[in-house]
Amino acid sequence: MFDAVLVANRGEIALRVLRGCRELDIRTIGVFSEADRDAPWLRAADEAHLLGPEAPAESYLNIERVLDVATSAGASAIHPGYGFLAENADFARAVTDAGLTWIGPPPESIVQMGDKLSARRAAEAAGCPVVPGTLEPTQDPDVVRQFAAEHGFPVAIKAAYGGGGRGLKVVRDDDGLVEALEGAQREAVTAFGRGEVYVERYLTRPRHIEIQVLADTHGTYLWLGERDCSSQRRHQKLIEEAPAPGFDPDIRRAMGDAAVRVSEQVGYEGAGTCEFLYEDGDFYFLEMNTRLQVEHPVTELVTGLDLVHWQLRIAAGEPLPFGQENVVLRGHAIEARINAENVAMNFAPAAGLITGWQPPSGAGVRVDAGVEEGWEIPRSYDSLIAKLITYGSDRDDARRKMIRALDEFVVEGVPTTIDFHRFAMRQPDFIDGNVSTVTVEREWDLSPIAAAEPATAGAGAQTASRTLTVEVGGKRLEVALFEPDAADGAPATARRERRSARGAGKQRSGGTATETLIAPMQGTIVKTVVDVGQSVAAGDLILVLEAMKMENHISAHRDGVVTQLHVEAGQVVDSGEALATIEDQGGDRTVEPLETS
């Protein structure tokens, strides 16, 4: 086994790997960016090193600096976690060239599976069905039009390198084609450093099913059951579970065998995941993630296998001591991704200070988190702050434990998806296991969550300043006293003045409209799509704002004429900052709620 492992990542996955190493008596080395200097997960490392002065998001992508730290700290291996450099074949080669062990698949496997087009060819060679799509990357809108003419709308434009829903845009008609193509390319560059995209037929109501594979360096290939990841927004997962509810055993075996064949085809080693779309009795290979998945805990719970331990053991050359017949699934596990997002604003990401943090516990409850009370979530990274996983004897047992755990989970200071998950666990579609990839965004009415969700902190939110315990008629009650923005510690008058200054363009309490379009979140302006003097209608796209690795379309809040653009591409804006001025063309002024998508 290794003497020391450097974990080239951050957040909950860094903590997960650091803990796994410690359980195997391996010395651990953490790394961090300027934004993560006080990160709570670093306390789990035996030592931690600053990566450099670059922008926070770029620090974890600095191959040369990561290797310098690994060498100077005496690491014998590097674990990449997921995201950042985890699926970067150049990094994997650089690690081995430096005389260190890469805890992951061979670079050649990463190359073949990292390019989704070559991955499709590998899947076809392994006798695995794939969704119809183009065979070469493109930047040409006419290629997309020709494909749509042959296969019909909707079609999916997808990043050729990478996954996780980044760089994926659905085109439903020709009007949105060019903007979708450009948006997919921008997101792909931001997330993966490469902007190549390809086109694929878009299935209308599929389930997203994935197979966990595990392969050693001695020729043993296993599949460890499946996960259902169909509950999504923006093509990114919100809820995952194992096994998939109501799944045909014959389809399960066929899909598992196909995943093994694909893994063998590319000479895979370690832990990986083959993702499939399933619709009307047929399944199609989607992609292979050559790394540990965010949702790996549900597989660990139903198989009893520690995937991080096995990543380390396989990389150290140990053979798997069991075969496919020994892989037995017991019980059911559900994972809810706790993201710092405002569900009422179409899951808009929301960085900020966590002023209260009380995770649930108890039998059958696991929390993987990289945050704590007093930690400020940087806006440079994605919005995932924790994973809540419950395990039960069957699916309904796991679901009921999830409801209980969500009710116990307290996060203050930033909006989260906790209320969404409470809502989802009680939906008839979810209870019946009848969820597809379009259910959350197109089939569920999320307005009850929006109505119940408090305003974002810093925008006039009512934050509890004190909680008192009282007795009424002998019954114990907790009473919360509220004051606007109490969490920031400023005097009430100063807070009111500050809100008045920064919210000069916001809707007043009397309902009077103003002309200024306000940024709903911190982020970077990617592009503006209107010109000064242009007439717009409420709901028209004004600009694209990237926040926490997601693009958000900022729409006009009213009808009128754009008389000022206060921002330009590349500019960083804060929540509440003026983006544009849209003046009335005459008549009564009315305002529609600002929308993001």
Side-chain angles (χ1 to χ4, degrees):
M1 189 50 69
F2 307 111
D3 293 326
V5 170
L6 182 143
V7 181
N9 218 296
R10 67 180 301 279
E12 57 85 19
I13 187 57
L15 180 58
R16 170 74 184 93
V17 177
L18 290 167
R19 285 171 168 168
C21 290
R22 175 155 294 187
E23 290 161 359
L24 296 180
D25 295 324
I26 300 171
R27 184 168 66 89
T28 55
I29 302 160
V31 292
F32 59 93
S33 70
E34 290 283 1
D36 288 336
R37 278 186 175 276
D38 300 320
W41 65 84
L42 295 174
R43 293 195 293 269
D46 292 307
E47 57 185 276
H49 298 259
L50 177 66
L51 284 175
E54 298 93 352
E58 297 171 2
S59 296
Y60 295 98
L61 297 173
N62 189 329
I63 293 176
E64 183 178 354
R65 177 57 182 157
V66 171
L67 290 176
D68 285 346
V69 171
T71 302
S72 63
S76 50
I78 291 181
H79 193 302
Y82 55 70
F84 295 119
L85 295 170
E87 294 178 280
N88 187 309
D90 291 337
F91 181 48
R93 290 194 187 98
V95 170
T96 55
D97 289 346
L100 307 176
T101 299
W102 167 252
I103 302 174
E108 296 74 21
S109 299
I110 298 176
V111 169
Q112 202 163 358
M113 292 289 101
D115 176 352
K116 291 182 181 177
L117 296 175
S118 66
R120 288 165 59 86
R121 290 190 285 269
E124 289 179 322
C128 182
V130 299
V131 179
T134 56
L135 298 178
E136 299 295 336
T138 185
Q139 298 181 5
D140 188 350
D142 286 336
V143 172
V144 183
R145 290 191 180 95
Q146 291 168 8
F147 184 85
E150 180 181 354
H151 296 277
F153 285 109
V155 299
I157 300 175
K158 307 177 76 170
Y161 298 91
R166 311 290 189 197
L168 193 162
K169 300 291 182 182
V170 177
V171 184
R172 302 190 181 279
D173 53 49
D174 191 73
D175 290 343
L177 191 150
V178 173
E179 175 61 32
L181 179 60
E182 293 176 353
Q185 291 169 329
R186 284 194 305 269
E187 285 191 353
V189 170
T190 299
F192 314 117
R194 300 187 62 165
E196 295 94 327
V197 298
Y198 71 102
V199 190
E200 197 173 79
R201 182 162 70 88
Y202 182 71
L203 302 181
T204 56
R205 199 181 187 275
R207 291 173 69 178
H208 185 129
I209 308 293
E210 57 189 35
I211 300 289
Q212 176 71 58
V213 296
L214 194 64
D216 62 19
T217 59
H218 303 272
T220 299
Y221 291 84
L222 307 176
W223 62 280
L224 309 182
E226 84 284 5
R227 299 184 286 256
D228 190 326
C229 308
S230 301
S231 297
Q232 304 179 3
R233 57 91 181 90
R234 290 188 180 132
H235 316 292
Q236 294 179 304
K237 303 160 190 172
L238 288 164
I239 302 169
E240 304 99 351
E241 54 184 312
F247 208 49
D248 186 308
D250 292 336
I251 297 293
R252 175 183 291 118
R253 283 190 294 272
M255 196 178 286
D257 291 343
V260 166
R261 292 197 305 272
V262 171
S263 302
E264 291 174 332
Q265 179 72 27
V266 299
Y268 199 82
E269 295 171 4
T273 296
C274 287
E275 301 196 347
F276 298 87
L277 293 179
Y278 172 76
E279 188 174 59
D280 298 330
D282 295 319
F283 66 87
Y284 306 93
F285 176 83
L286 188 63
E287 64 184 9
M288 185 175 191
N289 294 128
T290 55
R291 54 171 169 81
L292 198 65
Q293 292 278 88
V294 176
E295 56 271 23
H296 75 274
V298 295
T299 296
E300 292 185 324
L301 290 175
V302 298
T303 62
L305 299 171
D306 189 308
L307 293 179
V308 172
H309 284 185
W310 279 112
Q311 282 187 298
L312 294 163
R313 293 182 183 280
I314 288 170
E318 293 186 23
L320 288 168
F322 52 88
Q324 190 64 57
E325 68 280 2
N326 304 116
V327 179
V328 180
L329 307 185
R330 295 182 175 88
H332 198 95
I334 301 174
E335 175 178 291
R337 297 195 188 193
I338 309 302
N339 300 325
E341 295 175 3
N342 192 325
V343 179
M345 298 180 67
N346 195 20
F347 296 93
L353 179 68
I354 297 177
T355 59
W357 176 261
Q358 184 177 320
S361 58
V365 175
R366 168 177 166 177
V367 178
D368 285 14
V371 302
E372 64 185 5
E373 185 173 323
W375 166 248
E376 184 158 5
I377 304 168
R379 70 175 189 86
S380 306
Y381 309 110
D382 67 35
S383 58
L384 178 68
I385 58 174
K387 302 182 305 197
L388 172 60
I389 312 102
T390 55
Y391 175 79
S393 58
D394 56 28
R395 185 171 187 264
D396 198 55
D397 186 26
R399 184 183 67 86
R400 292 180 183 277
K401 286 179 178 175
M402 178 62 74
I403 292 172
R404 186 268 294 172
L406 289 164
D407 287 343
E408 291 181 5
F409 213 146
V410 176
V411 182
E412 296 174 346
V414 293
T416 72
T417 50
I418 289 176
D419 281 343
F420 164 80
H421 290 300
R422 291 189 183 115
F423 171 87
M425 290 297 124
R426 294 178 169 88
Q427 290 306 294
D429 282 344
F430 186 85
I431 294 172
D432 295 339
N434 183 32
V435 174
S436 77
T437 58
V438 301
T439 294
V440 172
E441 291 183 312
R442 295 174 57 189
E443 298 175 353
W444 284 356
D445 176 11
L446 303 182
S447 58
I449 309 173
E453 191 169 79
T456 305
Q462 294 289 316
T463 307
S465 57
R466 284 190 296 163
T467 301
L468 303 177
T469 302
V470 300
E471 284 188 15
V472 179
K475 183 178 180 179
R476 182 181 181 276
L477 299 172
E478 288 189 351
V479 180
L481 303 182
F482 290 85
E483 184 178 5
D485 286 5
D488 69 7
T493 302
R495 287 194 301 270
R496 283 194 295 270
E497 291 174 352
R498 188 166 67 241
R499 283 201 307 276
S500 176
R502 72 169 177 245
K506 295 182 182 178
Q507 186 170 330
R508 306 300 185 201
S509 58
T512 303
T514 58
E515 296 90 353
T516 309
L517 178 65
I518 297 299
M521 67 199 82
Q522 282 187 323
T524 301
I525 303 300
V526 174
K527 66 177 294 189
T528 58
V529 297
V530 297
D531 297 317
V532 173
Q534 183 173 332
S535 296
V536 296
D540 286 351
L541 180 63
I542 302 299
L543 55 85
V544 179
L545 184 151
E546 188 272 328
M548 300 178 81
K549 293 191 176 181
M550 286 192 287
E551 285 198 353
N552 302 272
H553 287 194
I554 308 302
S555 304
H557 62 301
R558 55 171 298 158
D559 298 342
V561 175
V562 178
T563 58
Q564 283 184 288
L565 281 173
H566 303 287
V567 295
E568 60 185 16
Q571 183 175 337
V572 176
V573 298
D574 291 324
S575 176
E577 192 168 328
L579 301 175
T581 299
I582 303 175
E583 294 188 2
D584 190 20
Q585 291 177 295
D588 295 333
R589 293 176 175 177
T590 59
V591 166
E592 297 293 334
L594 184 147
E595 296 180 357
T596 67
S597 64

